[in-house]
Amino acid sequence: MVKEDMQHILVALVEDKPGVMQRISGLFRRRNFNIDSITVGRSEKEGISRMTLVVKGDEKIVEQVVKQLNKLIEVIKVSRVDERESVVRELALVKISTKTDKERAEIVQFTNIFRGGIVDVSRDSLIVEITGSSSKIDAFIDLVKSYGIIELARTGLTAMVRGSKK
Amino acid sequence: MQGAKAIVESLKREGVEVIFGIPGGASIPFYDALYDSDIRTILTRHEQGAAHAADGYARASGRVGVCTATSGPGATNLTTGIATAYMDSSPIVALTGQVATSFIGKDAFQETDIIGITMPITKHNFQLRSVEEIPKIFKMAFKIASTGRPGPVLIDMPKDVQEKEAEVEFPDNVEIPGYKPRLKGNARQIKKAAEMLVNAERPIILAGGGVIISNAHEELLKIAEMLLAPVATTLMGKGAFPETHPLALGCIGMHGRKAANYAITDSDLILAVGTRFSDRSTGALHCFAPEAKIIHIDIDPAEIGKNVTAHLPIVGDAKLVLRDLIKYLQAYQLKKNTRWYEKVQEYKKEFNPKMDYDDVPLKPPRIIKDIMDTISYDDIVTTEVGQCQMWAAHYLSRTKPRTFITSGGLGTMGFGFPAAIGAKVARPEVNVVDIAGDGSFLMNIQELATCSENNIKVIVAVLNNRYLGMVRQWQELFYNKRYSSVYLGEKTDFVKIAEGFGVEGIRVEKPSEIKEAVKEALKNEVTTVIDFIVEPECNIFPMVPPGKCLKDIIE
């Protein structure tokens, strides 16, 4: 079997400057690469942001993505993350409709099982915060779908290799 | 120091002697500072001309070419020239005026987001936000433009930053954390390449523009002779290997030499140096050199494996890698592949292109031949784009790097003439001839004023067929001769136009007049336009039809 359209995780350290996101997204559009998600935030070093990109494609495409990213002057380093050797997490906020006390109790129970948290409650809805692998979040969403999801926000993956090496 | 003065001082420190451009509202402070400096400013008549002239300057000399325009329309007019330089890896720095920082984003008069517009067509771009950062940004811009795989860099200069005063320091060097081009090739890979070359039976060298950029032509010649390996070039590689040499095959590709296309198809090993395997060079990929293994040397890792699979990739500067390769090859007892050599010679003899036509109206190959016989190998030839470009590439022999300047990647009509101006400014001691078509020449013909007013002497050889010839040829061959919007008409008089701009014009209709006209143009003290009346529907052959294999080249 050819492993086509596999999911690949890339971590890029980039200079924290205006326009960097545009350079990267422009590159993806121009080269016809597909991005599943991008997350960006500060890294341990001042002036350097850390970006996690999830891309889909065969090996050749991903290799091109990495090379093209490396060509951008403001991209300092790009590494490919092996999911098996890394901590990979995504955060989701799910606003669920709750019409009865019973429904509310059930969702609280599910949230506990998934080690999530209730971060907001109103008379007919609540917001669940849940962290984990994408498939865990998928499973939770699947479970609560029948109650009615009013709003869903997922951050996309962020990742870090286990152990002391960088 | 005032911002504009810091900009000029930075340019001087980079050794800039000339700037091509047009001033405007947002760049007046910059031009005011230039007024006091000894940097020569050449006022072009369109910003596109300025960008191509800077490009031609860069390609002829190997130094960074500088062009400038004001904000808004001035900046957007530069973009075709910037994209041209980007596709052909030419080092230029483009300076654009910009509205004051407080107006940016407000749709102010003549404001355009030139940073956003040029992101995909520059190697990098900058917008100045303070006077203090000017020296560092200019240092970075020139470093990025001229090193690694060269390319255009744009600096956007808001008017208030040009005007403000601040203390500035000029650094001797700058660190760019995300920019470290790999120059030295991996020794183990190069050793392996030597081994593959020694064991190959039908090796061929494919030289691209990277050989010229890195000045690796001497090393390339040495390797070709050591291995007795024939050398084909891409369009951009023309001049990387002396085309008068017995091992020279000329260009491969859609309008390449038949011998070159056949030889590369027959080869069992390609040593590809500084080429990106463009579709116009390779033809259909499934049948491109089907029996060959490929050693791919390139400074840009992203080029390796992009279009063709390399069996042995070597990332590094062509000159340094070839130097190491010579060292490793010297360790072998080299056997010469005389059978392969003879086969290649047979191809060359069989497919030697015919040029000595006596027809009236003129056949372009005859014009190219007579131009070639009249100018010297040190002279520079630029081309426009289309049939004229392919006639020049196919028939005109070049023996030295940086003597054939053409828009290969972007295929920009209107490039050749302003590029010739830039080349002449860079190398005033040689003659510069633009081989043009009437369609292309008309796209930047206004630069005749730049020539006459600045005493810049070039020769424009117009192969005048009254058509957008290449499109007409495709319409003839692939669209049932339905000539849609390709006829340019009979009324344009290039001799009169030349006179109107204060330069010389000569019309040539007979083969016997060609050399005479070129000689006269060489003697003239001003620019000369030679209007060659050529057969209107003359086609450029041979040709590989689009999507076909190199060996399916038709005549």
Side-chain angles (χ1 to χ4, degrees), chain A residues 28-39:
Chain A
F28 274 76
R29 176 195 54 75
R30 144 106 172 79
R31 303 268 170 191
N32 211 9
F33 300 145
N34 282 321
I35 318 178
D36 265 17
S37 70
I38 302 187
T39 62

Side-chain angles (χ1 to χ4, degrees), chain A residues 15 19 22-23 29-31 60 64 67-68 70-76, chain B residues 116 119 123-125 144 149 176-179 300-302 304-306 309:
Chain A
E15 287 187 55
Q22 194 187 348
R23 280 182 212 281
R29 176 195 54 75
R30 144 106 172 79
R31 303 268 170 191
K60 236 182 127 176
Q64 260 299 305
K67 285 174 172 177
Q68 293 293 347
N70 264 318
K71 275 176 79 167
L72 297 177
I73 307 289
E74 284 155 347
V75 171
I76 295 159
Chain B
M119 261 182 200
K123 191 169 169 187
H124 195 58
N125 57 20
I144 290 167
R149 179 181 183 172
I176 310 168
Y179 181 68
D300 181 356
I304 288 168
K306 189 182 80 181
T309 305

Side-chain angles (χ1 to χ4, degrees), chain B residues 45-62:
Chain B
R45 296 307 190 258
H46 189 289
E47 289 85 354
Q48 188 187 348
H52 291 324
D55 190 349
Y57 178 94
R59 296 191 205 202
S61 66

Side-chain angles (χ1 to χ4, degrees), chain B residues 52 55-56 58-59 80-92 120-123 145 148-152 208-214 234-237 274-276 278 280-281 303 383-385 389 402 404-413 415-416 419:
Chain B
H52 291 324
D55 190 349
R59 296 191 205 202
T80 302
I82 294 171
T84 305
Y86 185 66
M87 286 292 271
D88 290 343
S89 310
S90 180
I92 68 170
I121 54 168
T122 51
K123 191 169 169 187
R149 179 181 183 172
V211 176
I212 295 171
I213 292 168
S214 77
T234 65
L235 180 63
M236 293 310 298
T275 173
R276 60 188 173 85
S278 96
R280 285 294 191 270
S281 294
E303 286 306 338
T383 81
E384 301 295 344
V385 165
Q389 177 186 33
R402 304 191 184 281
F404 188 79
I405 295 174
T406 193
S407 169
L410 198 68
T412 308
M413 290 174 70
F415 167 81

Side-chain angles (χ1 to χ4, degrees), chain B residues 225-295:
Chain B
E225 289 179 343
M226 282 172 91
L227 296 165
L228 205 65
V231 180
T233 73
T234 65
L235 180 63
M236 293 310 298
K238 199 172 169 71
F241 189 79
E243 291 184 300
T244 47
H245 193 284
L247 287 168
L249 288 166
C251 291
I252 59 161
M254 183 173 266
H255 293 286
R257 289 271 174 107
K258 239 176 153 175
N261 282 6
Y262 279 25
I264 205 159
T265 305
D266 286 353
S267 69
D268 68 347
L269 180 66
I270 300 172
L271 176 66
V273 192
T275 173
R276 60 188 173 85
F277 291 96
S278 96
D279 54 288
R280 285 294 191 270
S281 294
T282 61
L285 282 173
H286 70 89
C287 49
F288 173 70
E291 290 164 33
K293 290 215 156 40
I294 296 174
I295 301 169

Side-chain angles (χ1 to χ4, degrees), chain A residues 33-98:
Chain A
F33 300 145
N34 282 321
I35 318 178
D36 265 17
S37 70
I38 302 187
T39 62
V40 203
R42 284 189 193 154
S43 74
E44 72 280 5
K45 253 200 193 144
E46 194 163 335
I48 309 277
S49 301
R50 186 181 172 110
M51 205 176 261
T52 309
L53 302 113
V54 179
V55 298
K56 277 218 176 101
D58 63 22
E59 186 56 36
K60 236 182 127 176
I61 288 177
V62 177
E63 211 181 291
Q64 260 299 305
V65 172
V66 172
K67 285 174 172 177
Q68 293 293 347
L69 282 171
N70 264 318
K71 275 176 79 167
L72 297 177
I73 307 289
E74 284 155 347
V75 171
I76 295 159
K77 194 183 160 195
V78 184
S79 36
R80 292 178 66 171
V81 170
D82 185 339
E83 266 187 80
R84 290 163 303 186
E85 292 171 14
S86 314
V87 181
V88 178
R89 290 288 182 273
E90 185 178 1
L91 173 93
L93 296 174
V94 197
K95 190 182 282 177
I96 305 161
S97 143
T98 48

